[in-house]
Amino acid sequence: MVDLSVNFSGVKFKNPIVLASGILGVTGDSMAQVVRNGAGGVTTKSLWPHEHKGHANPVVISTEHYMLNAVGIPDAGPEKAREEIARFRAASDGGLIVNIVGGKMEDYEEIAREVATMNPDIVEVNISCPNVEDELGKPMACSTVKAAEVTRLVKSALADAGAGDVPVTVKLSPNVENVLAIASSVLEAGADGLTMMNTLGPGMAIDIDMAQPILANKVGGLSGPAMKPIVVKHIYDVYAAHKCPIIGTGGVTTGRDAIEMMMAGATLVGVGSAVWLRGQDVFGKIVKEMEGWCEENGVERLADIIGRVHEGN
Amino acid sequence: MRILNTMPRAMKIKEVREESELVKTFVLDGSIAAQPGQFVNLWIPGLDEKPISVALDDGKELWLTIAAVGPFSKAMHEKVVGDKVGVRGPFGTVFTCEEGQRLALLAGGYGAAPLYFFATEASRKGCKIEFIVGARREDLLLYTERAAELPGVKVHVATDDGSAGHKGYNTQILEKILEEAGDSDAVSCIYTCGPEVMMVKAAEMAQKYGTDAQISVERYMKCGFGVCGQCAVDGLGVPSCISGPVMPLERVLQIPEFGKYHRDELGRKHEF
């Protein structure tokens, strides 16, 4: 019997597989279904402090090699989020990571105060969406100063609202020159962990028969299997420097992929695009594959493999 | 190389049929191997992409019947023979039946299109089909004449104003059929597509008369392949684009929002 549980900055998950932000997760009941399908926890879609419209359709396309999306982070605002999170809590014992986003600095403070009273296990700060670039994305994800400022703001807003003990993880962009420098700056600013990473890009796909970009937003963030080696490399670098809790997200499709992320340094592993590749029950499939691998390799505690690739290096 | 339903393919409009003042059927040149009950995401570049029920896919042509009700459908109505549109799909679950059954198909408004597609298949399987169509007025009725040409199909019509057929609701016709059916000609299953209040009625009747039902649950959809989460229904928590639109009665009864509310593009609830 393999112990699959992991501990992320004091929060226990029955297994390390969590729903990545932006996939499914519009409603509390759909997040509960993800846990019934085998995940140890879920991440909500990014929550805004106010209503925010997404992009026109098509918002997501998929091939065997990649998924490209520009959903545009639609959200009805905190009132709806509160109701859905309460429904999730009533229906599920899975871990809850609440992802927040804003257009301006003040937005992050406002939404952090709101979610402080929504009983999150972990707060994940999205500073890195590549397809709403006017509002965020590059400005915050690329700047060590701005990324640290957002982190401090969220930490203090949570503390002011009585949720100072809720761990904060900052979701980093792979689309910057200095991933390690950004990681170091947000950790120094008080982040308890990191989510690595948001989608790549932005990229574009053109339908040659229509002679038009397919996504209504023209460009979108790239995810899926091809992204994994880039994420693994960044996790490897950051874990080597900081040994901090990391949610590894990007292209994980199988149990072996998830173990690879954990060996690089991830404690939790986000799964998103694989929902299309392997179905709604992909979470349980991955967990079962991880368990099988542990049994074959004499691993009794899955958590023991976190950062294993660094041992002796 | 595998053709992916998650990527658009360009299809040429081969014929445009005026069904009524408000409704046109676009015959696209080619098949996407869609089955009755399924839908496609229809794409007009630079404007939008919308889920549309398939009205027929016979292996050579794809029929899409569209009412001009919003900016997208109005733009679609401007399209002419030879124009190209993007199609993704087919997506979703299908209506199913066994050979030689007696079936009741209950269509409200545009719901007649996918049920016509199903009637063509059930007719080929030797089923006896009660095709019950409801609309506000006679000129808004769809697919009644084409359905009447299929072997084994009997068409029943209800209009709100009595301009054609029974004056009143199509569910009243359905109830009469279920009431009058004896052991030898019992209705095996009710198939329904249209306004949700009508489908709630159909579900109630299925329970009252001990009949199976297959119900097309329509929610605001974006991706079509079960990742964006937009169309998840409460209770089950499953995306209706892949677990639906067609769901058996027992699944629909596990959806507390059925007949009560649906969600908009931001996920906010709206009551019916």
Side-chain angles (χ1 to χ4, degrees):
Chain A
M1 192 66 183
V2 182
D3 177 4
L4 296 169
S5 67
V6 293
N7 185 310
F8 187 98
S9 194
V11 182
K12 192 175 173 181
F13 287 74
K14 68 183 173 193
N15 72 61
I17 301 302
V18 296
L19 173 71
S21 183
I23 299 282
L24 301 169
V26 173
T27 68
D29 285 9
S30 72
M31 293 191 289
Q33 175 68 2
V34 168
V35 175
R36 283 195 291 273
N37 275 328
V42 295
T43 315
T44 66
K45 290 217 177 209
S46 292
L47 306 182
W48 293 85
H50 46 72
E51 179 182 306
H52 187 264
K53 286 209 185 311
H55 296 307
N57 287 331
V59 292
V60 52
I61 56 176
S62 206
T63 77
E64 294 98 326
H65 311 291
Y66 65 84
M67 191 175 278
L68 198 65
N69 95 80
V71 179
I73 325 185
D75 184 37
E79 194 185 332
K80 182 232 166 203
R82 192 175 297 281
E83 183 186 336
E84 300 301 337
I85 285 171
R87 274 191 79 104
F88 171 74
R89 287 300 202 188
S92 184
D93 62 353
L96 176 67
I97 304 163
V98 174
N99 183 299
I100 59 171
V101 74
K104 306 183 293 288
M105 281 288 172
E106 309 87 86
D107 288 347
Y108 282 94
E109 187 172 13
E110 198 181 334
I111 188 62
R113 278 179 190 281
E114 288 282 353
V115 302
T117 55
M118 293 184 198
N119 189 23
D121 291 322
I122 296 169
V123 170
E124 182 175 88
V125 189
N126 181 2
I127 58 164
S128 49
C129 179
N131 68 56
V132 286
E133 207 150 321
D134 294 345
E135 297 165 281
L136 73 161
K138 286 248 160 94
M140 281 176 208
C142 296
S143 152
T144 51
V145 176
K146 292 239 175 196
E149 197 182 329
V150 173
T151 307
R152 271 192 293 270
L153 208 58
V154 169
K155 283 293 284 188
S156 75
L158 286 172
D160 289 350
D165 55 344
V166 175
V168 170
T169 168
V170 178
K171 191 166 185 178
L172 304 184
S173 169
N175 312 312
V176 297
E177 289 294 324
N178 51 345
V179 172
L180 182 56
I182 304 272
S184 302
S185 76
V186 300
L187 288 169
E188 201 172 303
D192 302 281
L194 301 168
T195 303
M196 300 178 62
M197 318 194 75
N198 216 316
T199 50
L200 272 174
M204 179 186 285
I206 292 167
D207 183 297
I208 59 169
D209 299 312
M210 302 296 280
Q212 294 280 345
I214 303 170
L215 294 177
N217 189 50
K218 295 188 173 64
V219 301
L222 187 144
S223 59
M227 193 187 168
K228 192 187 60 175
I230 292 168
V231 174
V232 167
K233 186 262 179 194
H234 286 305
I235 292 175
Y236 179 90
D237 289 348
V238 168
Y239 190 83
H242 295 291
K243 302 266 180 303
C244 62
I246 293 170
I247 306 175
T249 299
V252 170
T253 307
T254 66
R256 294 185 70 88
D257 294 339
I259 286 168
E260 185 182 355
M261 286 264 177
M262 292 181 78
M263 283 191 174
T267 297
L268 292 169
V269 179
V271 171
S273 306
V275 169
W276 174 65
L277 288 164
R278 299 187 70 193
Q280 301 283 310
D281 56 351
V282 63
F283 310 97
K285 287 176 183 164
I286 290 174
V287 170
K288 206 157 174 240
E289 289 158 2
M290 294 176 90
E291 191 174 16
W293 186 90
C294 287
E295 280 165 0
E296 280 166 29
N297 290 278
V299 174
E300 288 171 10
R301 264 182 86 239
L302 182 55
D304 290 343
I305 69 162
I306 297 167
R308 177 167 284 183
V309 77
H310 298 272
E311 288 164 20
N313 283 343
Chain B
M1 206 179 140
R2 187 158 75 104
I3 295 174
L4 291 165
N5 65 355
T6 49
M7 298 295 278
R9 77 194 78 176
M11 296 182 79
K12 204 173 265 183
I13 298 171
K14 188 175 154 184
E15 188 187 339
V16 180
R17 294 188 196 132
E18 305 245 353
E19 304 282 357
S20 72
E21 208 176 300
L22 209 64
V23 179
K24 288 181 182 179
T25 295
F26 297 87
V27 178
L28 306 186
D29 192 9
S31 165
I32 57 163
Q35 297 176 68
Q38 290 190 300
F39 68 96
V40 298
N41 278 354
L42 181 64
W43 174 45
I44 301 177
L47 184 63
D48 208 345
E49 185 191 50
K50 294 275 184 192
I52 307 283
S53 293
V54 174
L56 190 77
D57 184 337
D58 63 359
K60 297 189 253 352
E61 300 177 339
L62 179 70
W63 296 10
L64 302 175
T65 297
I66 297 167
V69 290
F72 178 85
S73 49
K74 282 176 183 159
M76 193 61 202
H77 273 232
E78 299 295 312
K79 299 278 179 201
V80 295
V81 170
D83 285 350
K84 280 189 289 190
V85 289
V87 173
R88 293 203 282 172
F91 295 125
T93 53
V94 304
F95 290 118
T96 56
C97 65
E98 305 285 327
E99 305 245 335
Q101 290 180 316
R102 186 180 184 210
L103 315 174
L105 279 53
L106 182 75
Y110 318 124
L115 284 175
Y116 167 75
F117 186 13
F118 176 59
T120 63
E121 184 185 287
S123 172
R124 270 198 306 278
K125 285 186 167 175
C127 292
K128 195 177 165 203
I129 301 151
E130 313 295 342
F131 193 79
I132 312 161
V133 186
R136 276 177 291 134
R137 314 183 298 267
E138 182 177 22
D139 60 312
L140 298 174
L141 287 164
L142 288 172
Y143 282 94
T144 50
E145 284 163 23
R146 286 198 198 97
E149 291 166 9
L150 299 169
V153 172
K154 187 175 179 201
V155 174
H156 309 262
V157 168
T159 50
D160 292 0
D161 65 356
S163 50
H166 170 74
K167 184 179 178 184
Y169 295 124
N170 55 358
T171 48
Q172 293 165 326
I173 300 175
L174 172 66
E175 177 134 45
K176 193 153 177 279
I177 289 169
L178 295 171
E179 244 169 32
E180 289 171 359
D183 288 345
S184 60
D185 62 348
V187 172
S188 306
C189 189
I190 298 165
Y191 301 81
T192 184
C193 184
E196 201 143 308
V197 282
M198 177 199 79
M199 299 198 293
V200 168
K201 272 288 211 196
E204 285 167 6
M205 280 182 210
Q207 290 175 87
K208 181 175 168 189
Y209 292 95
T211 305
D212 282 342
Q214 295 179 22
I215 297 169
S216 183
V217 179
E218 187 188 323
R219 289 294 179 268
Y220 192 101
M221 291 172 184
K222 284 182 185 168
C223 74
F225 49 95
V227 300
C228 79
Q230 183 64 43
C231 65
V233 286
D234 279 352
L236 297 173
V238 298
S240 56
C241 67
I242 55 166
S243 292
V246 180
M247 298 191 195
L249 176 65
E250 57 276 18
R251 292 269 284 171
V252 172
L253 295 176
Q254 293 173 56
I255 302 172
E257 69 175 63
F258 180 65
K260 297 196 172 62
Y261 62 88
H262 60 104
R263 291 172 189 268
D264 62 20
E265 74 273 22
L266 299 179
R268 187 179 286 134
K269 294 176 190 173
H270 296 271
E271 287 183 11
F272 282 109

